[in-house]
Amino acid sequence: MVHYSFVLLCYNNWDMTKQALTTLLNSFDSNHQSKGMELIIVDNGSTDETPEGINQIKEKYENQLIKIENLRLDQNMGYTPGINAGLAECQGKIISILSNDLSFPPNWFNGLVEVLESDKDIGLAAPYLSRSSGVQNVNKQFHTLDEMNAFAANFMKENEKNTFFSHRVIGACMVFKEEVIQLTGGNDIWFGLGQFDDDDWCLRTMAAGYKIAVVGKSFVHHLSAVTYNQQSALLNATFITNQGKMQRKWKNKELSDILENTQYSREHHFFPTRKEDFNRLPSLDFQQKGKDSRKLLLVADWTHPFSKWKETLRTALEECGDSDEIYLWIPKQYYLLPEILDEIKTKIGPFSLESLNILYHTVSPSDYLLFISFFDAIYSVNDDFINRYLVSLAEIPSL
């Protein structure tokens, strides 16, 4: 029986991941262990010593009262699909989402559990962090783990009654009630690599009727600068791209307007983490695809400068047969159609638009698999995390 589930996502940087795992596994007290714990380590296609290192961690801690599962993905799927893959395996009633750039002092988990279990209206709790944007930021640096542990013990004692409600916490360390995940699902996959996915998740949690607590009786060390410095160009581009998506998705409304006027809707706010959570039609032959033509789907992170969707589209137009039909799916709640069409005209040529079918549609996340299966094949796009996820989801051939 599992009561507490932990999902920790990692991609390379084994030394940092090892510290996160080791400090995490050494931080729990016997009361929590006795209720049943599982740790799902999502290896997001690491190419360094991470796979071997995870196996060594499993061997070292296999006798502890915690089940460790190694979920290895074939390639780096980005943060949002990676976390969702771990959520799909969770069995606990309290579910923690963790990144691999954290170090955990003893008892960091206790205060979060107390807050969640003491108030039915609180659905998400988060600790203070040594480095963070927003209200969780303590702005501390440490030279050793002993120094961090000493600071954490004193901080948590001094702030044990300092819990307040916030509209936003960052995604590095979030602890949910399982009922919240049942309502909201996982991350919105249109935030791809990550950035603003946590803001969006917080808004969906509040739309579902729950409060978000920042807990003074919990502190975690966050090494956020390490990951950022290694991928600064990519993360900067993703930040700008996802900021635009966030604004469009929530219709550029002020926070107060969003909180007062947004009602939970499963159609719009639930993002499946498991294939069985997607809607299906009972008939295997529901698509009635034409025998003389192929319907080919291209979907991408249309405004991300790193995505190679223009190269993919150019090749598709050159190689497409006379009876083939190319469809571009551009979800209107995330992208502005004129911007994408201008890119096509400028980079590929205005003539190309005559050969394309533009689907500027809003599709319920639960219908993604159903929607994609109407097509005969889906194009793969290099350096595009959203396309990578949807290609992996699709039950049709990729091109």
Side-chain angles (χ1 to χ4, degrees):
M1 188 72 176
V2 173
H3 190 74
Y4 303 110
S5 295
F6 300 84
V7 176
L8 188 143
L9 180 68
C10 60
Y11 172 67
N12 291 334
N13 291 304
W14 169 243
D15 287 341
M16 185 168 67
T17 301
K18 181 180 179 181
Q19 180 167 292
L21 291 171
T22 302
T23 56
L24 176 68
L25 290 165
N26 290 331
S27 70
F28 300 124
D29 63 33
S30 58
N31 290 331
H32 294 131
Q33 289 178 326
S34 65
K35 290 185 177 181
M37 309 180 81
E38 66 176 357
L39 169 61
I40 300 163
I41 307 169
V42 183
D43 178 4
N44 217 349
S46 295
T47 56
D48 64 356
E49 63 268 40
T50 293
E52 179 182 352
I54 292 174
N55 287 332
Q56 292 174 354
I57 289 287
K58 288 185 64 176
E59 291 177 4
K60 181 177 180 180
Y61 290 91
E62 64 181 355
N63 292 325
Q64 287 196 183
L65 297 176
I66 182 168
K67 175 186 175 184
I68 301 176
E69 177 183 348
N70 179 10
L71 178 59
R72 177 168 172 80
L73 307 181
D74 293 336
Q75 55 184 329
N76 183 5
M77 300 297 294
Y79 182 83
T80 57
I83 288 293
N84 286 358
L87 285 174
E89 304 298 321
C90 288
Q91 302 177 51
K93 298 300 182 183
I94 301 291
I95 298 174
S96 300
I97 311 302
L98 311 171
S99 64
N100 68 329
D101 56 357
L102 302 172
S103 294
F104 302 89
N107 302 316
W108 71 274
F109 190 54
N110 300 25
L112 299 172
V113 173
E114 289 174 12
V115 166
L116 286 172
E117 295 184 341
S118 66
D119 190 332
K120 63 180 179 59
D121 293 327
I122 299 176
L124 167 58
Y128 280 87
L129 298 167
S130 56
R131 296 176 62 96
S132 170
S133 61
V135 296
Q136 295 169 267
N137 185 32
V138 175
N139 194 26
K140 286 289 294 183
Q141 295 183 354
F142 307 103
H143 296 97
T144 66
L145 286 178
D146 287 341
E147 181 185 350
M148 184 272 291
N149 288 336
F151 173 86
N154 185 62
F155 179 90
M156 291 188 290
K157 182 178 180 180
E158 290 185 349
N159 293 278
E160 61 181 344
K161 297 182 180 180
N162 182 20
T163 293
F164 67 95
F165 300 121
S166 175
H167 66 271
R168 174 185 182 269
V169 293
I170 73 166
C173 183
M174 306 167 79
V175 185
F176 290 89
K177 288 177 179 173
E178 186 260 351
E179 64 197 60
V180 176
I181 302 298
Q182 290 295 324
L183 279 174
T184 65
N187 274 307
D188 181 341
I189 61 94
W190 293 96
F191 292 105
L193 180 63
Q195 307 277 355
F196 290 95
D197 51 290
D198 41 13
D199 299 73
D200 176 79
W201 214 348
C202 288
L203 288 178
R204 289 188 288 126
T205 296
M206 289 184 289
Y210 292 93
K211 295 179 180 179
I212 299 170
V214 177
V215 180
K217 199 176 178 180
S218 179
F219 173 86
V220 173
H221 182 31
H222 188 209
L223 302 166
S224 59
V226 174
T227 302
Y228 180 83
N229 290 338
Q230 292 176 343
Q231 306 178 70
S232 58
L234 176 59
L235 291 176
N236 283 336
T238 303
F239 180 92
I240 295 171
T241 299
N242 285 357
Q243 184 178 45
K245 294 178 200 170
M246 183 72 180
Q247 291 169 347
R248 284 187 285 275
K249 177 176 180 178
W250 295 96
K251 304 185 187 303
N252 293 304
K253 293 181 179 179
E254 296 291 334
L255 176 64
S256 59
D257 190 10
I258 293 174
L259 297 181
E260 291 174 8
N261 298 308
T262 301
Q263 293 185 336
Y264 173 77
S265 163
R266 189 173 182 86
E267 179 181 2
H268 296 106
H269 296 137
F270 177 78
F271 282 83
T273 61
R274 303 173 300 173
K275 274 201 170 183
E276 51 264 39
D277 291 333
F278 288 92
N279 294 329
R280 308 285 190 105
L281 284 184
S283 172
L284 296 177
D285 194 33
F286 72 92
Q287 300 171 57
Q288 299 296 318
K289 298 173 182 175
K291 295 181 179 179
D292 299 326
S293 65
R294 292 189 306 165
K295 293 179 173 60
L296 310 177
L297 178 64
L298 174 59
V299 57
D301 195 353
W302 299 104
T303 52
H304 200 297
F306 280 59
S307 171
K308 299 298 191 297
W309 69 262
K310 289 181 281 292
E311 292 83 345
T312 301
L313 179 56
R314 188 178 294 111
T315 300
L317 288 168
E318 292 172 353
E319 298 179 351
C320 187
D322 294 337
S323 61
D324 291 336
E325 299 176 356
I326 299 177
Y327 290 79
L328 307 189
W329 176 24
I330 306 171
K332 66 185 302 181
Q333 70 269 46
Y334 301 100
Y335 304 100
L336 295 175
L337 184 59
E339 292 182 7
I340 314 305
L341 297 183
D342 285 344
E343 279 287 290
I344 295 174
K345 292 177 183 177
T346 303
K347 301 295 177 59
I348 301 175
F351 65 89
S352 62
L353 290 175
E354 301 174 3
S355 306
L356 300 173
N357 300 278
I358 307 298
L359 302 174
Y360 193 47
H361 293 340
T362 297
V363 179
S364 170
S366 296
D367 285 332
Y368 285 170
L369 187 58
L370 179 61
F371 175 78
I372 293 171
S373 62
F374 273 94
F375 300 90
D376 295 283
I378 183 171
Y379 286 100
S380 294
V381 178
N382 290 333
D383 300 329
D384 191 305
F385 287 96
I386 291 172
N387 174 270
R388 190 175 299 173
Y389 168 74
L390 292 171
V391 167
S392 71
L393 176 68
E395 297 179 343
I396 56 175
S398 59
L399 299 171

